[in-house]
Amino acid sequence: MKIQDILLSEYGKASSVPSAVNRMMTDFAIGFRDGYDINLGVGYVNETTIPTQQILTACEAVLTNPVKYRASLNYGGSQGSSNLIESIKRYHIDNKIGGISQDVFNSNDIVIGANGATSLLDSITHLLPSGNVITADPMYYIYCNDLDRKGFNIIAIPEDNDGIQTDQLRDKLKELGRAKEEIQFFYVVTVNNPSCTVLSNNRKRELVEIVTQLSHELGRKIPLFFDNAYRDLIHDNTVESMESALCYDDLGIVYEIGSMSKILAPGLRIGYMIGPKGDFLNSVIQRTSDIGFSAPLINQEITSYLLDNGIETQIEKVNNGYQRKAKQVKKWIVELLGDNIQEYCGGSAGFYFYITLKDVCTDTTSDFFKFLTRTTGCEQNDGSKDDPYPKVIYIPGEHCVHPTGDMVEIGKYQFRISYGFEELPQIHTALKYMTFAITYSQKCL
Ligand SMILES: Cc1ncc(COP(=O)(O)O)c(C=O)c1O
């Protein structure tokens, strides 16, 4: 008898095929030539921002102080290390992050994810019923792809320079009518990925008001998750300092998700959620236990030590580095691509620029993309098959905008570049290749 393959769930089936971005990045990674090909696509942090020496010191300090850091190579508790939770509290209070004071922690608690902020975002999808999720467009494509595979329906509201447009959100809610009942949660990235748009405090307040009102209307609390992955990376001093929505949440619907990936090291895999004490937060803790008991305790303790010992200097160092790079890359973008740019954003926070080209498509079938990945099929552009010219990769806008949202058309002309991972000379070279790619695209028209 013929034997059937393993039966997969709907999520299993959807996950058995790598996402378009994963496919693209894998193709690029195969045969990537260090120091030759240029990767402006990855969200990797700059290696020089990782405090290797301090991590070594922290590791030794943790392992040699078993009184404070108990059994740090053993299993941890599922809410997270109490040392780390206290350090995160202190970090927020001492530095007045977002205006958070001790008051906030009287009604809110902190939980540490099993594997970075990503595992907490994943937990949300297992603990809330399936339904509609409201987010900004362009959207954080990695999480939105995850939501999509799990059967959530994403409603993406275009953003402007201040973030998600609240007037459009209000219109959308009106338009939804009874379908509003299907809204399960809001997900808003405070320094958006891909655009690096900083959500203004006014917009944030308005969002809390809108979701509070909606919760009253529906007779149940609708959670509003703010993803603060890049919150501590606002390196433009002219940008207003970001308030925490926890400070003006009267109903108890705001949850803020933070990450140590960008200010310390992604490899520590430390992310946390701050939100109202109660059933939802308890379910997140249980979920962490279900998927791995806790984040590695040693990493939590190392992070606690780093937060207690010089985190401010570390953050300043990281931001100085990205600020310097942002200023230079911005100059080059204007100088080299200026005439062909419709608009661009980024450069004030995080480490991405999100660029819209005039009349030049950027999707994976476009001439622009083919030129940069050396797949035009013409040796003059690509170099020889065995040893092609340097390849350049970026994230095409088509993957960042909602496939049936209002930005789908413009998305075809957009792309995200990262100035995080690669150094300035490589970024300059890549931008020069982009000018050639534009000329090539225009010739092909
Ligand atoms: C918006 C956003 N949220 C979350 C993450 C992931 O954070 P972590 O490394 O803590 O899982 C990223 C990573 O790039 C991100 O861009």
Side-chain angles (χ1 to χ4, degrees):
M1 197 173 78
K2 193 166 175 272
I3 192 154
Q4 249 190 27
D5 203 353
I6 295 166
L7 280 184
L8 293 175
S9 65
E10 287 309 309
Y11 171 61
K13 281 183 211 159
S15 303
S16 67
V17 187
S19 73
V21 175
N22 277 351
R23 238 179 2 249
M24 192 186 87
M25 297 304 273
T26 309
D27 287 350
F28 189 75
I30 295 171
F32 183 82
R33 296 159 299 174
D34 275 334
Y36 194 59
D37 295 323
I38 305 170
N39 196 343
L40 303 187
V42 279
Y44 288 11
V45 304
N46 188 277
E47 282 280 324
T48 64
T49 66
I50 297 177
T52 315
Q53 188 53 50
Q54 285 95 313
I55 291 174
L56 262 174
T57 309
C59 188
E60 188 174 1
V62 167
L63 291 174
T64 53
N65 188 353
V67 177
K68 179 168 168 66
Y69 304 104
R70 257 191 71 237
S72 58
L73 286 167
N74 222 311
Y75 290 113
S78 42
Q79 180 173 352
S81 134
S82 45
N83 286 324
L84 177 57
I85 290 172
E86 281 313 307
S87 302
I88 292 174
K89 272 188 200 165
R90 206 171 28 246
Y91 164 65
H92 281 81
I93 296 169
D94 288 358
N95 295 290
K96 299 189 179 64
I97 304 285
I100 286 183
S101 63
Q102 179 58 48
D103 280 0
V104 167
F105 291 114
N106 294 337
S107 51
N108 293 287
D109 217 340
I110 299 179
V111 300
I112 311 297
N115 206 307
T118 304
S119 59
L120 292 163
L121 294 175
D122 170 76
S123 292
I124 297 169
T125 68
H126 290 271
L127 302 168
L128 299 184
S130 205
N132 292 342
V133 178
I134 304 216
T135 194
D137 209 1
M139 53 193 198
Y140 177 37
Y141 58 92
I142 294 178
Y143 188 42
C144 289
N145 177 267
D146 177 31
L147 288 168
D148 186 50
R149 274 180 285 122
K150 287 173 177 154
F152 285 86
N153 175 43
I154 293 156
I155 300 175
I157 311 290
E159 65 173 21
D160 63 13
N161 291 338
D162 284 336
I164 183 168
Q165 297 187 66
T166 35
D167 49 350
Q168 291 204 27
L169 172 60
R170 284 200 173 86
D171 290 347
K172 182 51 113 185
L173 291 175
K174 255 192 219 138
E175 191 190 303
L176 282 174
R178 290 192 60 115
K180 272 191 289 201
E181 296 279 355
E182 286 151 40
I183 296 175
Q184 294 304 345
F185 66 95
F186 285 66
Y187 170 69
V188 177
V189 186
T190 54
V191 173
N192 199 9
N193 181 356
S195 59
C196 278
T197 299
V198 182
L199 179 69
S200 74
N201 291 327
N202 278 344
R203 285 284 163 81
K204 200 184 248 185
R205 252 175 213 280
E206 257 190 280
L207 265 177
V208 176
E209 273 166 31
I210 292 170
V211 185
T212 300
Q213 205 176 1
L214 182 68
S215 298
H216 283 299
E217 197 183 320
L218 298 179
R220 68 182 159 91
K221 290 184 184 179
I222 310 283
L224 167 52
F225 296 99
F226 287 105
D227 182 333
N228 283 335
Y230 302 87
R231 179 203 53 194
D232 297 324
L233 247 59
I234 300 180
H235 42 73
D236 178 342
N237 305 329
T238 65
V239 173
E240 64 178 353
S241 64
M242 188 178 277
E243 291 170 3
S244 162
L246 291 163
C247 298
Y248 35 77
D249 171 28
D250 296 330
L251 190 58
I253 51 173
V254 167
Y255 295 84
E256 292 198 330
I257 297 166
S259 170
M260 296 296 162
S261 290
K262 316 292 175 187
I263 52 171
L264 288 173
L268 290 171
R269 307 306 302 127
I270 300 294
Y272 57 96
M273 183 187 279
I274 310 180
K277 295 172 182 168
D279 285 351
F280 175 69
L281 221 53
N282 292 340
S283 71
V284 174
I285 296 170
Q286 181 58 48
R287 169 85 190 145
T288 299
S289 173
D290 294 343
I291 57 176
F293 302 122
S294 74
L297 188 51
I298 182 79
N299 291 8
Q300 295 189 63
E301 303 295 40
I302 287 173
T303 306
S304 168
Y305 179 92
L306 294 170
L307 284 176
D308 295 348
N309 292 278
I311 188 66
E312 294 77 13
T313 316
Q314 163 66 10
I315 293 181
E316 202 181 311
K317 199 179 125 214
V318 173
N319 277 311
N320 286 345
Y322 288 131
Q323 184 191 54
R324 186 179 59 88
K325 283 177 107 180
K327 280 187 180 159
Q328 186 55 64
V329 175
K330 195 174 187 164
K331 264 196 205 142
W332 287 335
I333 288 175
V334 173
E335 221 173 84
L336 294 167
L337 308 177
D339 293 343
N340 297 290
I341 289 181
Q342 182 79 30
E343 56 182 333
Y344 72 96
C345 50
S348 291
F351 40 70
Y352 308 122
F353 280 101
Y354 193 63
I355 299 171
T356 311
L357 293 178
K358 280 184 207 160
D359 307 322
V360 175
C361 285
T362 57
D363 60 274
T364 46
T365 64
S366 67
D367 295 315
F368 182 77
F369 185 88
K370 284 183 189 158
F371 185 92
L372 291 169
T373 50
R374 309 299 178 186
T375 52
T376 65
C378 166
E379 204 167 312
Q380 198 191 332
N381 305 315
D382 301 344
S384 75
K385 268 217 161 50
D386 295 337
D387 189 22
Y389 296 144
K391 300 178 187 187
V392 176
I393 195 93
Y394 59 84
I395 303 287
E398 64 171 343
H399 299 311
C400 303
V401 298
H402 191 270
T404 59
D406 296 344
M407 292 189 63
V408 69
E409 258 317 298
I410 190 133
K412 292 177 188 158
Y413 299 87
Q414 299 180 319
F415 63 109
R416 184 195 84 175
I417 56 168
S418 165
Y419 54 89
F421 181 62
E422 297 279 6
E423 296 303 337
L424 283 171
Q426 284 72 32
I427 300 174
H428 187 241
T429 306
L431 290 170
K432 273 203 300 199
Y433 286 130
M434 283 181 178
T435 64
F436 303 153
I438 290 173
T439 310
Y440 172 72
S441 309
Q442 287 164 339
K443 267 198 217 141
C444 292
L445 277 179

